[in-house]
Amino acid sequence: MAALSAAALVIAAGAAFAQGVPKPAAIPDIRGPNGVFSLLPDGANWTKFQTVRQIGVRCTDKACGGERVFCTIQTRADEQARPGVALADETATKFGEGVIASAPKDFAASYVAPFAPKRFGPNAGHWAELKAEGEPGKLRFGLFLVAAKGYDVAFNCVTPSDSWATHQPKIEALLASLKIEQ
């Protein structure tokens, strides 16, 4: 999962959290390479954002009370990946180890719950929860790894630690709305 840079996920989340989530993009949907997946933010709870280095969704101020809650999305080419088939346990384990090992020095990252198979709506994948404490504060991450045709797809969802329980159902509903092309 080297291409799904674990360090980039933690660093990007920390930087985005510290600087604020990028402004929503004008085009509301997100499509994976070759159209293998799509995610259509509803506009009420989630809006798309895109920068030169990141694409994802952010929770609207109204839905999340102005807190910075967002999910970044990354893909990695994987000839073995097939829709509806969970990624190998070792793929998820390596990814999680990379996230923790690559955390910036001023963040102490650790598992709250290690990767385990989980389904959000029709999407079977692996889910883990991590926490990171340091500058700019205490963050909670939900990582969801799912297979699409020829690609591994990672969703890195971030909230302030104190409000994880409030925002987790919104994140889970978002992941359930993901459409993976068969």
Side-chain angles (χ1 to χ4, degrees):
M1 300 288 295
L4 286 175
S5 171
L9 289 175
V10 172
I11 292 166
F17 191 78
Q19 298 171 1
V21 177
K23 298 291 183 218
I27 301 170
D29 66 331
I30 297 171
R31 297 202 180 273
N34 302 317
V36 298
F37 74 85
S38 62
L39 183 65
L40 180 61
D42 62 11
N45 295 304
W46 298 97
T47 57
K48 174 184 173 182
F49 71 81
Q50 187 167 1
T51 67
V52 173
R53 296 182 186 183
Q54 294 180 356
I55 190 166
V57 294
R58 72 169 189 85
C59 190
T60 63
D61 288 343
K62 185 175 181 180
C64 287
E67 290 190 298
R68 293 185 180 126
V69 178
F70 58 95
C71 299
T72 59
I73 304 166
Q74 291 187 329
T75 59
R76 176 184 79 109
D78 178 354
E79 292 179 9
Q80 306 302 314
R82 297 288 174 258
V85 177
L87 298 170
D89 289 342
E90 74 178 39
T91 299
T93 299
K94 281 183 180 180
F95 182 72
E97 289 170 357
V99 169
I100 291 171
S102 301
K105 290 180 183 179
D106 51 349
F107 267 103
S110 62
Y111 278 107
V112 173
F115 276 103
K118 187 158 183 171
R119 180 176 291 277
F120 293 106
N123 306 308
H126 281 77
W127 172 257
E129 295 177 20
L130 286 85
K131 65 180 179 177
E133 297 179 355
E135 289 301 322
K138 295 179 181 179
L139 305 174
R140 186 77 176 259
F141 298 80
L143 301 176
F144 185 54
L145 301 177
V146 63
K149 185 177 181 182
Y151 293 90
D152 302 335
V153 184
F155 292 83
N156 179 22
C157 300
V158 182
T159 74
S161 289
D162 293 343
S163 57
W164 174 255
T166 300
H167 300 303
Q168 185 178 4
K170 295 176 196 100
I171 291 168
E172 291 179 355
L174 173 74
L175 296 172
S177 74
L178 173 68
K179 295 194 181 351
I180 298 177
E181 296 303 318
Q182 301 297 318

